[in-house]
Amino acid sequence: MANSPVPKPWIAGIHAYVPGKASGEDGRAVVKLSANENPLGCSALALAARPQAVHPSQYPDGDSNALRHALGVHHGIDPARIIMGAGSGELLYLAASAYAGPGDEVLFSEYAFSLYDIVARRAGAVPVEASAKDYGTDVDALLAAVTDRTRVVLVANPNNPTGTYLPKSEIARLHVGLPADVLLVIDLAYIEYVDPADDDGSMALAASQPNVLATRTFSKAFGLAGERVGWGTGSAEVIEVLNRLRGAFNVSNEAQAMALTALDDLAFVEHSRRHNTEIRARFVSQVDALGNHGLRCVPSEANFVLVLFEGKLSGQAAYEGLAKAGYMTRWFSTPGLNRGVRITIGTAEDMDGVAKVLRELAEAAK
Ligand SMILES: *Cc1c(COP(=O)(O)O)cnc(C)c1O
């Protein structure tokens, strides 16, 4: 007998999620461009709704009825096919644990969101990575990696940390190529940043196909990351299964009220999208101008850019140099990704500052 509790072997294999840093090594404040938060904050209407929403002594509506109905009206979805989560991350855990367990495989792309590995392992399943193509999700590689043990496939579109985006035709080809008993989870955390004309068709698949779950969040373009509210939609059967597993009161009073009000202020989301598109294009051209120093951007449809350092200046040195100058970004030490630094698109001033530091670092590198 062990002399203390022993976690299950699949839990022992989990490395805790590493969030983007908010301060420098010495604790001093920095411009935080490490967690893909909205530099414009959130809707002023949602902020104004907060004081009335706080009822600390009362449980929230466990079914988030008002919010699900509002989302249903806005997206043309039966609210019975909508589940709310404490962030969309909770729903990814639920989906993996409901449909995969020990002996099963959960499949995702190389350079996918780092949470997917944790999600698979927590379910007891084996995480399987299909190789990426040009830092993006490769549908052929994913389909080739499907085995009779594959139960869940996770795809973020746009993908984090690379920013790459699969068009509608590729999402459709992935879905058609999967066995009917495999759940395809399409994580749309950044979809509000994509030009609506480039719809990837995921919401329509989730509405019409029994094996597709689309997840959305209020954390990014809505600017409510701290409130922890996300949602998912799929078949009534899948949503009913996930509802059995979620926390009974998983979305707080405050989060429900703020998200509900934020839905009345979609002008804020549209403003955030336009702001991001404009500042991102300008930042990308500033980085591309440093191509002679080996810098380039992976094409991004999200509110961040993965900058690759393939010359004398390394990804790690760029990350450290930016941190020293007061800009906290995200560097992944993982082999294959360690040439890249993921930089959240902040304000115009932030990004001009980052571009200036990158130029100085690149010119000084030997
Ligand atoms: C930020 C992010 C989420 C959202 O997480 P929440 O739990 O909703 O805050 C989901 N997926 C990806 C790929 C993300 O980057």
Side-chain angles (χ1 to χ4, degrees):
M1 192 179 76
N3 56 13
S4 62
V6 180
K8 303 313 291 180
W10 57 88
I11 302 296
I14 293 178
H15 297 282
Y17 180 76
V18 182
K21 286 190 192 167
S23 60
E25 295 296 314
D26 52 5
R28 114 202 100 88
V30 290
V31 178
K32 189 181 177 198
L33 302 173
S34 59
N36 302 340
E37 293 150 333
N38 193 327
L40 305 178
C42 72
S43 155
L45 291 182
L47 212 51
R50 181 153 64 169
Q52 299 104 54
V54 185
H55 305 292
S57 63
Q58 291 172 9
Y59 282 110
D61 169 8
D63 293 325
S64 302
N65 281 301
L67 187 49
R68 283 188 306 109
H69 281 81
L71 284 166
V73 169
H74 178 62
H75 290 277
I77 303 171
D78 174 358
R81 298 179 61 160
I82 294 176
I83 179 172
M84 302 307 304
S88 55
E90 181 189 19
L91 303 175
L92 303 177
Y93 282 115
L94 299 186
S97 3
Y99 295 96
D104 297 330
E105 293 174 355
V106 171
L107 175 64
F108 46 88
S109 175
E110 181 185 20
Y111 312 140
F113 185 31
S114 60
L115 192 68
Y116 296 172
D117 183 82
I118 302 176
V119 158
R121 290 178 197 269
R122 193 169 104 170
V126 179
V128 177
E129 268 188 33
S131 51
K133 191 168 71 187
D134 300 330
Y135 288 91
T137 306
D138 180 353
V139 168
D140 292 311
L142 278 176
L143 290 176
V146 172
T147 72
D148 55 10
R149 292 181 300 280
T150 307
R151 301 271 58 91
V152 176
V153 176
L154 299 163
V155 174
N157 209 33
N159 183 47
N160 173 17
T162 61
T164 54
Y165 186 64
L166 290 178
K168 192 173 187 169
S169 56
E170 286 293 278
I171 292 286
R173 200 160 70 80
L174 173 61
H175 175 256
V176 164
L178 291 175
D181 65 345
V182 171
L183 180 69
L184 172 61
V185 180
I186 310 173
D187 174 349
L188 301 172
Y190 299 97
I191 199 69
E192 289 83 4
Y193 286 108
V194 176
D195 185 336
D198 296 332
D199 171 28
D200 73 353
S202 296
M203 294 298 284
L205 282 179
S208 63
Q209 303 299 315
N211 66 332
V212 176
L213 175 72
T215 62
R216 310 279 299 250
T217 186
F218 284 90
S219 296
K220 307 288 161 52
F222 284 88
L224 295 175
E227 294 297 327
R228 311 308 304 125
V229 49
W231 58 285
T233 183
S235 72
E237 289 75 13
V238 168
I239 297 304
E240 191 271 325
V241 166
L242 300 187
N243 264 319
R244 284 187 241 158
L245 302 179
R246 69 171 168 81
F249 301 104
N250 60 342
V251 183
S252 74
N253 285 325
E254 188 175 315
Q256 289 186 37
M258 289 185 79
L260 188 60
T261 317
L263 278 179
D264 284 335
D265 189 10
L266 294 173
F268 173 81
V269 177
E270 177 60 8
H271 175 55
S272 298
R273 183 179 71 79
R274 288 176 187 276
H275 175 273
N276 182 68
T277 304
E278 178 193 327
I279 311 292
R280 185 182 63 206
R282 170 175 158 144
F283 178 66
V284 165
S285 67
Q286 286 167 322
V287 173
D288 285 348
L290 300 170
N292 55 326
H293 292 289
L295 276 66
R296 69 181 167 108
C297 293
V298 175
S300 172
E301 292 294 330
N303 67 337
F304 56 85
V305 172
L306 185 71
V307 180
L308 299 174
F309 296 84
E310 298 167 325
K312 284 182 182 145
L313 179 64
S314 72
Q316 185 174 8
Y319 165 76
E320 287 167 358
L322 284 168
K324 219 178 212 169
Y327 299 101
M328 189 53 66
T329 61
R330 191 79 199 262
W331 176 65
F332 302 89
S333 55
T334 1
L337 213 50
N338 62 8
R339 288 160 178 267
V341 175
R342 192 194 68 191
I343 306 178
T344 303
I345 301 301
T347 63
E349 187 191 353
D350 296 338
M351 301 321 285
D352 286 349
V354 168
K356 180 167 172 282
V357 174
L358 286 178
R359 176 158 46 76
E360 289 163 3
L361 292 168
E363 285 169 354
K366 298 197 187 52

